[in-house]
Amino acid sequence: MNQLMALTIVAPLLSAATGFTLRRHPRARDAATIVGLTVATIASFATLFFVRANGAHALNVGGWSPELGIVLVADLFAALVLPVALTIILVVEIFAIGQRRTAWGANPEFAGPLLGVLTAGVSLAILTGDLFTLFVAFELILVSSYVLLTHQGQRGQIRSGMTYVVMNLFASTLFLLGLAFVYAATGTVNLALIAERIPELDAGVRVGIGAWFFVVFGTKAAIFPLFSWLPDSYPTAPTTITAVFAGLLTKIGIYAMIRFHTLTGMEDLGPVMLIIAGITMVVGAFGALAQSDVKRILSFHVISQIGYMLMGLGLFSLAGTTGAILFLIHHMPVKTVLFLVGGLVENEEGSSSLELSGGLAARRPLIAALFAIPALSLAGLPPFSGFVAKLAVIRAGIEEAATPIVVVALVAGALTLLSMTKIWLGVFWGVDNDASSPVSTAPANRRLMFTATGLAVVGTLVVSLLAGPLFDLSQRAATDLRDGSSYAEVVRG
Amino acid sequence: MSVAVLIAIGGLTTVGIYLITARSLSRIILGFSLLGHAAVLALLTAGGPPGAAPIADQTAPELSANPVPQALALTAIVISFGLTLFLLALARRQQTLSGDDLVEDDLEDRRIAEETAA
């Protein structure tokens, strides 16, 4: 049964290889991608149910001892995040196939297979039990994202792609240097062994390592002040690619941070994390208010929402970590859906600019409905998933008597609602300011696009319906994560 | 740990960081190559004292260098090699599009600059 999780890495990679080989045959290529992603998604759900029933398990790749070899660990945290991530990619790929022939569709030859490589990287990053494999997984994700972002070779994409590549490459180099420090200090790159040995280190070394990796993962997660690469690069990419990036990439950064810093018990960094979390929330929310394009507004929200997860982590309490995990699970699908709706708007209006569109609610009520549900969820209104997740994080803040950050979180939530209203007013109400624009003559498969978006919206509703069980599971995951010894037991087998 | 290696790591990092703050992508690429070398050297240093080549059945285990960081360094070298190629392709594309390989300003930065100038 513990071989199953390897399938979430192998299947997308195989589908990518098949897709590259069959790139001249669109149907076969798309079919290969869909099959690979579906197999991976099913395997991830099976892993979740298995882990929920029987507890965490590990896979020593190649039969090496955990100290030397690569270990994949499916603990509850990984098993919870993995199905959400893979489902998102599958939905976006369906949407992309529907949108493929429009002006905003990605380069059809390579987008699918590259998405497969990215998926393998995401699965590997979630499952890996050692820091070096995490580095390799990050590179796998980033390299495919660099290519996805720039492969159309248009001027705007090259411009924003350069910032993106340079910033992330710098973070990767810091990661590598950090690995050298960790290896020098502990003699291992295995997470479980690091967690065991790190309390024996000198306090200065320990905090130094924690702070170093806070910067590394923080750049990937786009926290303040390391987010500068995000708001410019995301909106210039094709919508489907942005949807995957926004839903997943920064979240993998915060996932790695939650895993590393909780497992190694970096509580000394807690206050710094809370301050950064507060600034990230507010800067992201204000940045969003200043924008006048749907995709740019949403990109700034990616930053703002990372603040909430960082807040949950920074509290270093059981409730806080639980909240951060729950927020992660809620946020990934919601963010993706919002970008997919942005894609639908673009398809109808010819642009996602607030000034050029308007009155869409009357013409396309379905798009309006598909937007409204995740938008209200993002703003944290009941009964949607965002409310449950925000409640969990804020309640954890109150428990820890961290009043300032709770106030900031509430204010940022109100600002989020305000900018969602801005999109609503600009795109869905009012009149169309630019009657000549419609590009919906492009031969997009609209039914497929709507089905994919609809499925994703249903997915976010399922998250809010299952809020109770998901909260319990998140709590169990957080308990395991905070108690490093259970993780070490699993890795030793 | 040899002081010479330490100085080398420090020097490579300094020059590397200086270069990646440049506007021109070709300088940035050079900067990343140097930073990559610094990181690889640091990894090797982290493996402990130097020794003979760690080849199974040929070197006695107590005489050989620690093979784990060498394996990690090798992986890192391959990755940075691929990334350098990608950066070069990006620089080439930028040169075709705009005649130079300078990193351009963020849209938002430009908007703010225009608004304050006006």
Side-chain angles (χ1 to χ4, degrees):
Chain A
M1 204 49 203
N2 58 1
Q3 314 279 337
L4 199 61
M5 59 176 140
L7 210 54
T8 60
I9 301 161
V10 177
L13 266 188
L14 280 179
S15 79
T18 320
F20 278 125
T21 319
L22 298 175
R23 62 182 179 280
R24 303 259 175 263
H25 309 276
R27 278 177 190 281
R29 187 189 61 220
D30 290 346
T33 314
I34 290 287
V35 168
L37 292 179
T38 312
V39 169
T41 312
I42 293 171
S44 71
F45 274 103
T47 307
L48 171 61
F49 286 114
F50 186 75
V51 170
R52 197 182 65 139
N54 304 324
H57 55 276
L59 173 66
N60 290 331
V61 180
W64 293 85
S65 84
E67 208 150 335
L68 292 174
I70 296 167
V71 205
L72 300 181
V73 189
D75 63 349
L76 203 49
F77 183 29
L80 265 175
V81 177
L82 193 58
V84 182
L86 293 180
T87 312
I88 288 173
I89 302 180
L90 182 61
V91 166
V92 172
E93 174 60 15
I94 295 173
F95 186 96
I97 291 174
Q99 198 193 25
R100 192 136 280 175
R101 287 175 205 87
T102 67
W104 292 279
N107 181 345
E109 274 193 20
F110 295 117
L114 278 170
L115 204 60
V117 179
L118 187 119
T119 312
V122 168
S123 301
L124 188 61
I126 291 174
L127 287 173
T128 181
D130 73 84
L131 218 45
F132 192 80
T133 312
L134 185 63
F135 168 74
V136 176
F138 268 140
E139 291 309 306
L140 209 54
I141 297 173
L142 288 173
V143 169
S144 38
S145 75
Y146 299 156
V147 182
L148 279 171
L149 201 61
T150 54
H151 71 170
Q152 286 173 311
Q154 285 159 12
R155 183 125 191 219
Q157 292 173 347
I158 298 286
R159 170 183 53 76
S160 60
M162 273 178 163
T163 326
Y164 176 81
V165 173
V166 169
M167 279 292 285
N168 278 293
L169 211 51
F170 187 59
S172 300
T173 314
L174 289 185
F175 197 160
L176 204 56
L177 277 168
L179 276 169
F181 298 154
V182 167
Y183 194 85
T186 63
T188 180
V189 287
N190 184 295
L191 275 173
L193 298 176
I194 293 174
E196 273 181 354
R197 292 176 195 173
I198 222 157
E200 297 159 20
L201 294 178
D202 191 59
V205 177
R206 200 177 62 227
V207 175
I209 288 176
W212 190 276
F213 278 95
F214 182 51
V215 173
V216 170
F217 297 142
T219 313
K220 317 270 178 193
I223 60 170
F224 175 87
L226 303 165
F227 62 80
S228 60
W229 54 271
L230 191 146
D232 196 36
S233 61
Y234 277 20
T236 48
T239 311
T240 46
I241 291 168
T242 319
V244 174
F245 286 10
L248 284 178
L249 295 199
T250 54
K251 263 44 94 187
I252 295 298
I254 200 85
Y255 171 91
M257 204 190 281
I258 294 175
R259 179 171 291 284
F260 182 80
H261 287 85
T262 309
L263 212 53
T264 52
M266 292 289 176
E267 280 159 34
D268 304 329
L269 290 174
V272 182
M273 283 184 178
L274 288 184
I275 294 171
I276 301 268
I279 304 178
T280 308
M281 287 178 208
V282 174
V283 168
F286 274 120
L289 275 177
Q291 300 300 318
S292 58
D293 180 289
V294 176
K295 281 160 82 179
R296 291 188 73 90
I297 293 179
L298 292 175
S299 297
F300 272 99
H301 277 301
V302 175
I303 299 165
S304 171
Q305 305 279 310
I306 283 291
Y308 289 90
M309 292 169 237
L310 189 58
M311 170 182 163
L313 168 64
L315 290 169
F316 281 103
S317 65
L318 177 61
T321 313
T322 309
I325 296 175
L326 196 61
F327 205 103
L328 190 64
I329 295 169
H330 132 75
H331 179 77
M332 295 202 294
V334 165
K335 198 78 238 180
T336 311
V337 177
L338 283 172
F339 271 101
L340 289 185
V341 176
L344 290 176
V345 170
E346 250 180 6
N347 208 49
E348 292 299 326
E349 294 276 355
S351 149
S352 60
S353 157
L354 295 184
E355 278 129 30
L356 292 180
S357 41
L360 204 60
R363 279 178 291 137
R364 297 270 166 211
L366 188 56
I367 299 185
L370 289 176
F371 173 77
I373 294 171
L376 291 175
S377 182
L378 189 78
L381 292 189
F384 301 110
S385 59
F387 172 70
V388 187
K390 252 181 203 172
L391 187 69
V393 175
I394 286 173
R395 212 169 54 183
I398 294 172
E399 266 175 35
E400 293 293 305
T403 323
I405 187 74
V406 171
V407 174
V408 172
L410 291 172
V411 171
L415 291 174
T416 307
L417 190 59
L418 204 59
S419 51
M420 286 298 145
T421 319
K422 195 174 165 183
I423 298 184
W424 185 263
L425 290 176
V427 175
F428 295 102
W429 277 358
V431 285
D432 196 347
N433 303 329
D434 179 23
S436 62
S437 65
V439 205
S440 31
T441 45
N445 187 340
R446 293 241 297 276
R447 193 179 298 161
L448 210 53
M449 289 163 69
F450 275 104
T451 312
T453 319
L455 272 179
V457 170
V458 171
T460 67
L461 289 177
V462 168
V463 171
S464 49
L465 277 178
L466 294 179
L470 277 177
F471 183 83
D472 291 340
L473 280 178
S474 306
Q475 200 161 30
R476 268 175 64 194
T479 316
D480 287 352
L481 207 56
R482 289 166 54 77
D483 168 30
S485 59
S486 71
Y487 188 79
E489 261 170 48
V490 171
V491 170
R492 291 237 168 73
Chain B
M1 194 195 303
S2 145
V3 182
V5 178
L6 255 180
I7 294 175
I9 296 173
L12 285 169
T13 314
T14 317
V15 181
I17 291 199
Y18 173 74
L19 282 174
I20 61 169
T21 52
R23 274 264 159 171
S24 144
L25 200 55
S26 43
R27 276 169 180 257
I28 294 177
I29 295 168
L30 287 176
F32 273 121
S33 313
L34 294 184
L35 275 180
H37 291 319
V40 165
L41 266 182
L43 260 180
L44 289 180
T45 322
I55 300 168
D57 308 329
Q58 282 191 22
T59 329
E62 59 275 9
L63 292 179
S64 77
N66 185 349
V68 177
Q70 297 192 0
L72 304 185
L74 213 57
T75 317
I77 291 171
V78 175
I79 291 176
S80 74
F81 181 67
L83 284 172
T84 310
L85 273 181
F86 178 73
L87 278 176
L88 282 170
L90 209 57
R92 174 88 182 92
R93 181 72 194 164
Q94 174 74 357
Q95 201 202 14
T96 323
L97 285 174
S98 66
D100 54 42
D101 68 342
L102 300 183
V103 177
E104 289 175 59
D105 275 338
D106 187 79
L107 277 185
E108 198 65 7
D109 289 351
R110 273 191 249 168
R111 210 186 75 186
I112 292 167
E114 275 165 24
E115 277 177 17
T116 43

